[in-house]
Amino acid sequence: MTPLETVTRFLSLTHSSFVDGQPSTASRGDVIAVNDPASAQAISQVRLAEREEVDRIVESARAAFVAGTWSRARPADRERILLRFADLVEAHGEELAQLETLEQGKSIHIARAIEVGGAVEYMRYMAGWATKLEGQTLDVSIPVPTGARYNAYTRREAVGVVAGIVPWNFPLMIALWKIMPALACGCSIIIKPSEETPLTVLRVAELAIEAGVPPGVFNVLIGRGSVAGAALVAHPNVSKVSFTGSTAIGKQIGTAALQNMTRFSLELGGKNPMVLLQDADLEKAVAGTLMGGLLNQGQVCAAASRIYVPHALKADYVEALSAAVNGMKIGPGLDPTTQINPVVSRRHQGSVLQHLELARQQGATVTTGGNAPDLPGYYVQPTVLANVEHHMAAAREEIFGPVLSVIAYDSLDEAIHMVNDSQYGLTASLWTNDLTRAMDLIPRIEAGTVWVNSHVPVDPNLPFGGYKQSGIGREFGRGAVEAFTELKSVCIAY
């Protein structure tokens, strides 16, 4: 398909950070290409911010917060503007979807339905929270002075300047997961996207200004994580960091934030299990594996990547899964007939292929896929690994690619032990028609989300986050909103 004229025009520009409601005028900083993963060709370019520009962006966000045009606006006014923002994102949905596919590589269907469609629903849900923040009235028993009476209550107040650090796998949607609750609470926010996928959030920033978000309230920082990202996290005027990405980087961010006692939440990696019980419907389980494991080429923190199957079902399941995977069409995301698209970069392609080579060396069997197809761009064939043992890297390390590892088990106790014997605990799923058995197993699984007979769908009202090294805090719902506030207690003697 041919990109829209507005997309082509946007790509033709050299982009920079977005501050005070407009593109930055800073002339220093390296200019790098943004590549199309389907062709490995440059499609646009961006200027990277240096440390001095981080100070300017934080100062802008802090000044906007202190001025109170947004932070002290009537909640109904913030809600109205945020709903208009959602309308504009929806109206420009095709433009944003095409930009997302071109810079990230994903299917245009996913970009339309999930990145834009799902994000718009989330935006409207979160806009409503602007008018629903609440505290409590409390009875207290303070004994002094004798005869004194007290009125006590709590209130939620915007935390201040928020740094939202966004990965490259869903750069539009995950950015909005941070932008919307922060703005609903009255915060100012600085989004730092990956330098590999900065385009859609820059376009969204323009739409936010058009909707009526005041300049300085929503900013975008374009730069390398080691330079601009590190300076942003360590800045003393940043009050909250919300990070989505790898566990290794999340640990560094948490450590840096603690130096200023900056609040932080981390949504990190996962090595997410699917467990098929003996009565599982194989046809539904195979379809669920394709959706849960290969969505966005497996570049999903919640993706199903290790599948536990009873020995008695293993042969039939592997045969059916391999046949389904082998039949998937590989090609560019803008081709609506394709089912598997490129991974995000040459570097990441190399990482996935190294994992596959290690799996072979450790004794796993490749039943389909396992290589890079003879295509331009950063492709990896969707791969099924059979005969995987629980100790192998393919069962324990996050590959973040189109790789499905099948592990056989003898008993459910053994399966649950293997499920929990992991540093990660983001998501899991059970596949069974036995509701009683499922309800017994759910409390035994160490994961932030457990699905039954599905894997990977999320909802704005359903908290999302992980146990163990899969993160701290939750996205979505009341908890996500409250994470962008401070809780103040008020006590009045009368």
Side-chain angles (χ1 to χ4, degrees), residues 415-437:
I416 298 302
H417 171 75
M418 290 190 289
V419 163
N420 292 335
D421 182 24
S422 171
Q423 66 175 325
Y424 299 112
L426 187 58
T427 71
S429 63
L430 298 168
W431 294 78
T432 178
N433 292 312
D434 187 336
L435 180 60
T436 299
R437 182 63 60 87

Side-chain angles (χ1 to χ4, degrees), residues 119-137:
V120 168
E121 289 191 357
Y122 178 85
M123 293 177 77
R124 291 181 174 134
Y125 170 87
M126 277 297 171
W129 272 103
T131 56
K132 296 168 185 66
L133 296 176
E134 60 187 18
Q136 294 176 297
T137 301

Side-chain angles (χ1 to χ4, degrees), residues 297-309:
Q297 292 61 252
Q299 299 169 124
V300 181
C301 59
S305 58
R306 49 183 174 129
I307 301 99
Y308 295 95
V309 184

